[in-house]
Amino acid sequence: MQFGRLLQLALCWLPLVGGALPIPAAAELLQLELPGGQQLEVTRFGNDAGLTFLWLPSERGFTPAHHQHARALAAEGHQVWLVDLHGSYFIQPGRASIGQFPLDHLVALIDAVLAGTSGKLVLVSSERGAQLALVAAREWQLRNPGNPAISGIVLTHAHLYSARPEPGKAAQYLPVVRATNLPVYLLAAQYSTKSSRLQELAAALRTGGSTVYTQLLPGVQGGFATRAAEDGSAADAAARQTYANTLSRAANLLRQVSTPDQAAVSDQDTRSVGSGSNSDSVLTPLDPVLAAPALVLDDLHGGSFNLFEHRGQVVLVNFWASWCKPCVAEIPSLRRLDASLAGEDFRIVTVNVGEEATRIERFLQQVQVELPVLMDYDASISKGWMIYVYPSSYLVDRQGNIRYAYLGAMEWDSTENLKIIHQLLSQH
């Protein structure tokens, strides 16, 4: 059966020359020719004595660290196929790259990997690459009814939004999320944008019949798997060191789940992936305006803040985290904005999401914030404000309504921003 499929797919294995990434000696660097002639650059590690992993890149592409993790997985008895989609299609890595890989080719890729192995297949990816993994796996199921060869999908920091979340609104997930019935294992670092929404995503996946497992990595920062050891914490280094073992344990857990041999029924277009476009760097007016949710929190020193008590003032509420580089980058402009409006009925409050007091105290010793820092330890307030992106900022008018919002970092003391704030201050 597998040999017949191998001939049908007309696989052609050729050694590659050169390449931008250093490849461990234990790896095979190959070219896989798909029906139609498209050649994919593949690095294959290990043999198929255990599970077979098909590792699809995120929007960032692969780094040498991915090859190190693949080699470590192979050392645990698995076979790993790293497929350099960006290099194969000559596509620049970036958010929009995920939508440029032909779905037919991804399905043929799964067929090819299955033809070259005798074991179960597990798909692995991260960030926006999770979209490729879910869409390709479901499409393969639709074209191969009765075949439970895909054991499951392991995703790290999965980004499965259909579009950039809008201020004050719940995120919309891709249709494939609620049409996935394969087992899924979700990984997220505690200090990442995906941690507070991990259970929300898991619940959305379960609506399609998927068995979902989640793992939060405590004390670990997003990007741990590829960050150099000297650039992260001891917890980051430990998580990176054991990442391959974490993937192996996750895949072995998925293998114990009964795998469906039919795709879930859906009347949605499940082949689409999310938009990679960026929004303009301007405050977004909300239409209609929204009443600001409750915001009652203590600061680091035990003082209490209640947004309701500041009716009559214009308040800028800024949600942030110390591990978020854009958040840190915009702090000086927030301080300048605060100074430029001294004496006005205006104030800035910052809300730190999900971090311990000791961690923020150390941060404040290194970075001059000089603004109120409220502590949303369990992220309950940020969920009420529909925070999916860090930083997220909301401009609240004198009546307690959110009039403007911005998702991301910006220069807060720009002429345009000052004009908007002065307009709100002039309204009584």
Side-chain angles (χ1 to χ4, degrees), residues 283-339:
L283 278 166
T284 303
L286 269 60
D287 185 16
V289 299
L290 300 175
L295 175 53
V296 181
L297 286 172
D298 291 340
D299 61 26
L300 275 174
H301 308 294
S304 181
F305 177 89
N306 186 338
L307 181 61
F308 182 81
E309 296 174 355
H310 291 269
R311 294 285 177 92
Q313 290 184 314
V314 174
V315 182
L316 176 62
V317 183
N318 174 264
F319 291 86
W320 69 287
S322 68
W323 46 262
C324 164
K325 291 182 179 179
C327 299
V328 178
E330 73 172 3
I331 287 174
S333 72
L334 283 168
R335 291 171 51 204
R336 293 195 302 269
L337 175 66
D338 188 56

Side-chain angles (χ1 to χ4, degrees), residues 379-425:
S380 59
I381 293 295
S382 69
K383 290 177 182 177
W385 282 67
M386 300 292 182
I387 303 301
Y388 292 87
V389 176
Y390 299 115
S392 287
S393 301
Y394 296 86
L395 194 57
V396 181
D397 67 14
R398 295 179 185 272
Q399 290 73 42
N401 297 314
I402 300 175
R403 296 285 296 277
Y404 292 86
Y406 188 76
L407 308 185
M410 68 187 313
E411 290 296 318
W412 283 101
D413 58 338
S414 67
T415 302
E416 294 82 1
N417 285 337
L418 284 168
K419 181 179 179 180
I420 289 171
I421 294 171
H422 279 299
Q423 286 176 343
L424 292 185
L425 286 170

Side-chain angles (χ1 to χ4, degrees), residues 44-56:
R44 187 171 63 184
F45 301 80
N47 54 53
D48 64 348
L51 287 167
T52 297
F53 290 79
L54 171 57
W55 202 323
L56 299 175

